Amino acid sequence: MSEVVYEETATMIAAGELQSFVPFGREHCRNHPNAFNLQLRELQPASELWSSDGAAGLVGSLQEVSLQEREKECWQLRKGCMGVREEDVEFEEELYTAGTVVVWSQGSRTQASNVYKAFTVDSPVQQALWCNFAVPQNKKDEEEVEQTVCIVQGSCVNVHTVTGKDFISPLPFQVSNVWATKFGLLLERKNAATDAQLGPPGEPLPTVFSMLHPLDEIAPVVCKPTGLFEGSRVQYASDSTMKIVFSCSQPSLIVSYDTLQGIHSVWALRKVTPDERSSVLRCAADPCGTPLGLMASGFLTSHLRNISRLDSPVGTSSPLHYSALHSHQSRMTTSSPGLHSRIHSPSISNMAALSRAHSPGMAAPSFSGAARFNTSFYSPSPRGHHGLLPSPNSTVNETMLVPEMEPIVPDLCMEQLWSETITAGCHREMSSQASKVFLTSDLCENCYLCFLVESHQELRCVKFIESNDTSQLIFASVTTIPAKDAEPLQNIDAMLVLEACGSLVLYTGVTRVSKVFVPGLLSPTFSMTNHLPHLSTPVENISTPANAGSRHLQRLDEAVMPSPVSELRGPNIKHHEASFLEDYTFQQAMPYIHALRDAVCNRVTLELSSGTMLRISIPEIATSELVGIFITFCKISTHIIMQVLVKWYNIYNAPGGPSAHAEWSLFVTCFMTLMGYNTDRLAWTRNLHFEVPLSPVIAAKKARPSDGGSDEDWEYLLGSHYHRQMNSQSVCGPLESSGSNNSLITDAEAPLFPHIPALFYVLHLLYQELQLDELQRARASSLVCLLQQLARDLQLEEYVDLYWRDYPSLISGFNESCLIDQGKTPAPHYGVFTTSIPKFLLIYSPFLVSFSDSSPSVFLSLLSPVRSDSASVLPEGRASLCSQLAQQLSERGGGPAFPLPAWHLSEDQAAGSGTTKVTSGSLAEQLVVWLTSEGFTLKDLESVPFGVALPIREAIYRCREQPCSDWLEEVCLLIGRQDLTKQAHKMTLAKSKAVSLSLEPPATTEADEEEDGMSDIIQEVTGLIWSQDLRVQEVRRLLQSSRPVRVSVVQLPEVSDHEYIEEKENKLLQLCQRTMALPVGRGLFTLFSYHPVPTEPLPVPKLNLTGRAPPRNTMVDLNSGNIDVPPNMTSWPSFHNGVAAGLKIAPASQVDSAWIAYNKPKSPELANEYAGFLMALGLNGHLTKLATLNIHDYLTKGHEMTSIGLLLGVSSAKLGTMDMSITRLLSIHIPALLPPTSTELDVPHNVQVAAVIGIGLVYQGTGHRHNAEVLLSEIGRPPGPEMEYCTDRESYSLAAGLALGMVCLGHGSNLIGMTDLNVPEQLYQYMVGGHRRAQAGANRERHKSPSYQIKEGDTINVDVTCPGATLALAMIYLKTNNRSIADWLKPPDTWFLLDFIKPEFLLLRTLARCIIMWDEILPNTDHYDLLKIRSYEVYYITAGACLALGLRFAGSANSDAFDCLYEFARTFMKIMSFAGTAAVQTGYYNLQTGLSMILLAMSMVMSGTGNLKVLQLCRFFHKRTGGEMNYGFHMAHHMALGLLFLGGGRYTLSTSNSAIAALLCALYPHFPAHSTDNRYHLQALRHLAVLAAEPRLLVPVDVDSLKPCYALLEITYKETKWYDETTVELMAPTMLPELHLLKRVKVKGPRYWELSVDLSKETQHLKSILSRDGVLYVKLRAGQLPYKDDPQGWKSLLASTVNHRNSGVRAFKPDAISTFTSEPALVSFAKFFCKTSEEMKHDSLVLFSAMLYECVTQECPEMLPTYIAVEQAVGALRRGDLLQTFPLWQMRLVVELWDSRVLRGPANRHDTLLTSEFLPVMKNMHINCVYTQTHIPVLTCVKYLDEMM
């Protein structure tokens, strides 16, 4: 045992804040509903199950609730860590338990306690404790800590989290104690007397279990002891003699006590390793080697060999198994035995866990806890064998419930670190169990584990340290302190010990500090407590307030608890002590300290013998921040610093000690005494205790009018204080010391004498640190006398000079020196003595590198780089900030950098690096980024002196003007760019507050808005994009389908009423063709504009096919039976309506499987809509969340539309992923992908088409050979016998062609592994015709029999195969510019040959040829005259070329392409308008088809822009309903309208390969003739256009108002072969071009702060902005108004200064400040200092107004304090009341910075933060003051001015 290190004797300190203590929970419980009321209120069967073990029914419950029970109480306190930030006030939390009530309360010194949470349970609480559980986050390693209260009852543990979750975990055994650990709960099983009977002989049962989470298994803990005989064998913690007495989270430790040997051990608690887990679960061959090996029972031997942890649980057993019964009770998991059972998905297991948590009946079966656990835990019998010994009160039926077992996987391991040694020959009695264990540390940061052994009345302190591997702890020496009780005081690194005599003693670690005097209690010297016996209760007894102390957990082991009335510690009193008490019975009335408990921070509760409790606080080591800082930085050697601190603590905290304001003086006296000074003989320390003014008055010398010098000046200097002091310095040298007073010789034997140089160094650093902090600078004057004394005695003249300059008035009377024997003080090695360097010194102080060679002042070192003439050198890696600042002081723009001193480099760098230039532009950025990495904030900058802060502010200002878009949020905060900070939060418009108002009044009523399904367009944005008109309202009017249409038919006189009704219904039928086509366009218009509410179904607008006839508004209906209506007319329109509704859902919305199923309609009429809804969810990516079970359910229903929607939806959601599960799903619906022998499935034709397209989508761009081969053959699939594959063959062939094109998209001739397929040749044959090739492979048998109805022979039916083959060829060679393939697609050269090709095929070939030759598509208006060539073939060729042009320039808004297309559209319109021959000759249908294609092409080019000309054309066609204007044409026109306003103007089209493929599918130029027509093209594919949409709208949002606004953008295009690098200006909100074309996007001034996004580096940042509604946060500059309020900029604050430079200040009205800035500091300054009042002089008013004007116009409100500080410094100098030179230093730094700018040329003046008018005036006033005033010692001024000039 090591001895106590150091003991300060005969000292005493006073405890403070004495107050009586009563647990708050006790008071609260008096008003709480009691247990009687609860039981009577819950007279129901459940109460039987909830009651404690064995007690059933109301009688048992009421018997338990007795008076004694209500008086059971225990509590624990801890430091508040909930709900309040660290910097806020400290508070205490109390967890109080009494009976069935647990009260969690909070309170602090300043605030009364209040209940945070209160819990009432149904059976008595055995124990309540706080515990933190770790919850894994997603699949990462991160864990979130969940704070909980755990309430232990007899049969279960209730866990309540602070977030409101509640868990009930049943206990499979009786628990004696529960402990909170780092990983969760640790449970100790109560050792039952029946243990021996329950297991096979010689098999100990586990005693310690862990629960990592309330939903996890309760698993046994394994231990790894370190013993001579056992080695490090891993085994279950099954030693019944081991009792846990303490647990701790940080570090993760457990202390246990061996009741047999009487020794304590320390264990590290950690997660179990896989090796340890498998070695425990593996069954060893040697039965005695396995602690739980069940080898004793012979019938198990064959079942226990080679069992691994993942073996099947049926019929096998590992040493630990749960039975099915236990699984049901506790977890009911279905996972494999070895897997972790925390459940995250809503699986069956989770439901079981939930039902278990909410059905308390499962928690307590009718047999006892121990027997229940053993029955379930040890059930080694295989299935059907019931050889288990029955438990005492279990029945045969219960025993038969154990057929299956699962191994319980251990989670935690206890690894032994240390245990007490039992010395041989020591005859002392065996130690009893520690009654209290805690961790403490001393003032030198040594850590101790202390445990109180009451039987020996001693506290054993074990010192431990962290090893290099931080997870391991090394336990060193043990120190014993005599103690009756003890408590740790965490925040003062001490502990309070109650000695056997009753004295309170304070220790720090094992060092005795002093006794503690408690006012109001009798001193122990006179009290009977000197000889009080130390009487301990048995270990098994319960913790009561009288004897429990502050254990981490108060435990209630037994059912009976004594009442809280205090009594002596035990029943036995020794004879002589008893007689002592009899003799002194009069002293019984005098209370004495009986025990300590509930230590929190530095407060502790004293339990008195009278039963009352007192709460006292032990004073801290220092209340003065200056003393505290010095103690922190001054770490010399453990032994010495401990002496110093203990001595200081005793002096400072003696009873009746000094007041706080004298603390520093007292510390200095103590400190100098310990350094060997005789403080009584030094005049300045003698006077320290008197309150004297710091500055003696100096007589002012009259100012001289003359500017020239004279002899009198020199005489004045020689007679000055400064001269006398500097001369007296040499007199004190060692050679001349014989004449000096011997009393001033320092004592070389003093403990701190050898460390005087080092302590001086620390003090000087501290002094410089305080100088750099405005809030602490006043304290620097406290240090200066001490520093001056030490500097004089150490003969450091530079330092004496520095202190004299800094505080001349303070040190003027200072002339004493002391003799220090230099031989006895070592040369300082400075780096050793500071553990942590102050923040500012780390940044600024150059003398950290070399103490002796550089200037002692940080301000001089800041100036030196500017004055140096050496080369500019900067260290590699992170440059010191001083270098950065120096460079910042001097460099501007691109000119030469000012040099930096070489001391910033290490010697190696200085030698080897030579001269390196630093790029000037990046220095400000480097500085700001590095400041942020050091944790520097704007708040820190406010406390930096203005001269030092100015260069940092300039760097910040420069970065604020030109920031990088990818800076971290902290950097943006430092430079004051809230717009960039906000951008990092990733908010969308829908989630922000920016959608509160619409700018335009809605054209329809609210009810209509809700109905039409288009009310979610963000109207603030559309109002900015299209602010001049109501085009958005017009589009809503055109696309609404939820209201009846107007059927206007005039009744002619000769028409009968019946005919008139038929006429109206026929008109309505025509209008309905249009209404049914609207949803396709509406889906595109409202794309991704809605975030659904999870608790509400998606609103789907109705498809209203009724009409209203004017003038009486009578209803017109198609169902009257007057006309024939096609059957199933509304099937596909309903599908499209569902898609349109589903496409509103934004991809970022919260959608889950349950919500999708929740939207399923009840009525079968709406099934088609739901099918469309499913497809839409796939297109926006949400269908991946639909559970597989639901997908299977929908497909087995056999509903055709649902299958189509689902297959296309899941394929779109898995675009290009080659997902195997989706592939299998699709293959079932495609006969060609099934094995030839498979059963023929009756799959509807349209479902097959959807599945084929699905294959193309899932395998898009992959070049998958097998799928390509199948799809190639499917293009030419021949019709089979019995009418299969005979109807709508065209759509299937087209789908196969499109799918093939998607699989091989853009691969061109690089189709790897497909050369033998001859894909291009085969496709060409499908296109032009010829003999059919023989089917290869598996399909040969399938197509052996020809069709009986369709006689095609061996030739290919080109009418069927040509469209698919053409588009497949186009997509495979997309953008490859392969001329040889393109030439295959040329139209014939002669009119004669043209007649042999269908016009539609000419359109497709032209389109295909153009998109292969992608780079040659140019908008050329020099076209042939269509008006002369009236041939429909030419019109189709033209339409194909226009469609290709639309694809080429999709989403670009290219004006040339648009003009070209618009010209063609007008030409087609002219031809159609010709009366008679022209339209008849060419066919109205052909012209309309061409015109529709051109309209779609225009919409693609102008996609998302809402172009007015295209809108006019769409509206024109919307009105045309008669003639040949069928359903398909209406669909085309309204798709064009939807594309034009894609996503409400937020989306546009991409031209990526994937987008072109999607557009080819969606805009296939053959539209359906009627609403049920799917012959040539499946209607559902029209919606695939969504896959080509991408968000490219950039919306500036004002960061202050969170409203969208206008901002000027500068967009730079990359150089291409068509144009050079180009810059254009756009007013945002605007649609950006495709990002791969751009080099840079920049927010341009002057209205807003500039922001540049460089796309040449990476585009991900801008993509993420665009994907979040394109919200780009911008910050308005002060003095500017938004473009909306001030379009021309005539109203801004700066407008008045355009013509006259100075008129701005005069015209500036401070009252109007709030219009131009929201900065509170500026507004308040204007209010109080810029208004005329009696106190405010006119000159000051003008000056302050000018300052304010500068700060507002320059957008630098933070400069206002600098302006004021400069003015105050000069003002103080003029008035002559400047007592220190600090403001002069700052002025000098400011002037130096400005002068360096002037030297660089006039152009640089405007870049400074301080204006060029203000500083010269201040500088001249400054110099005049220095010459004319002599209040500052003249030599200082002369030297100062000399250096300044």
Side-chain angles (χ1 to χ4, degrees), residues 831-881:
V832 176
F833 303 115
T834 54
T835 53
S836 58
I837 292 172
K839 181 190 288 187
F840 286 119
L841 289 182
L842 175 69
I843 292 175
Y844 292 110
S845 185
F847 50 77
L848 288 178
V849 180
S850 170
F851 185 52
S852 55
D853 299 339
S854 61
S855 160
S857 168
V858 68
F859 302 126
L860 276 175
S861 64
L862 279 172
L863 285 168
S864 59
V866 183
R867 302 209 165 264
S868 168
D869 294 328
S870 62
S872 168
V873 183
L874 204 65
E876 297 173 13
R878 192 181 74 179
S880 79
L881 184 58

Side-chain angles (χ1 to χ4, degrees), residues 1355-1375:
T1355 55
I1356 292 169
N1357 187 342
V1358 181
D1359 290 339
V1360 173
T1361 59
C1362 179
T1366 308
L1367 290 179
L1369 205 57
M1371 289 157 80
I1372 293 171
Y1373 287 91
L1374 177 64
K1375 300 182 184 177

Side-chain angles (χ1 to χ4, degrees), residues 1469-1501:
M1469 297 275 286
K1470 273 184 189 171
I1471 296 172
M1472 286 180 71
S1473 65
F1474 287 160
T1477 55
V1480 174
Q1481 183 183 342
T1482 54
Y1484 181 88
Y1485 180 86
N1486 299 327
L1487 280 170
Q1488 188 60 57
T1489 301
L1491 194 51
S1492 299
M1493 290 302 106
I1494 294 170
L1495 186 60
L1496 280 167
M1498 274 196 288
S1499 292
M1500 283 194 281
V1501 173

Side-chain angles (χ1 to χ4, degrees), residues 1733-1766:
S1733 63
E1734 295 176 7
E1735 298 86 6
M1736 192 67 66
K1737 294 178 184 175
H1738 179 69
D1739 293 348
S1740 302
L1741 198 68
V1742 171
L1743 183 63
F1744 288 153
S1745 294
M1747 289 177 184
L1748 186 61
Y1749 179 80
E1750 284 292 340
C1751 290
V1752 171
T1753 53
Q1754 295 298 317
E1755 188 75 7
C1756 50
E1758 65 275 8
M1759 286 305 296
L1760 188 58
T1762 305
Y1763 278 114
I1764 295 170
V1766 171

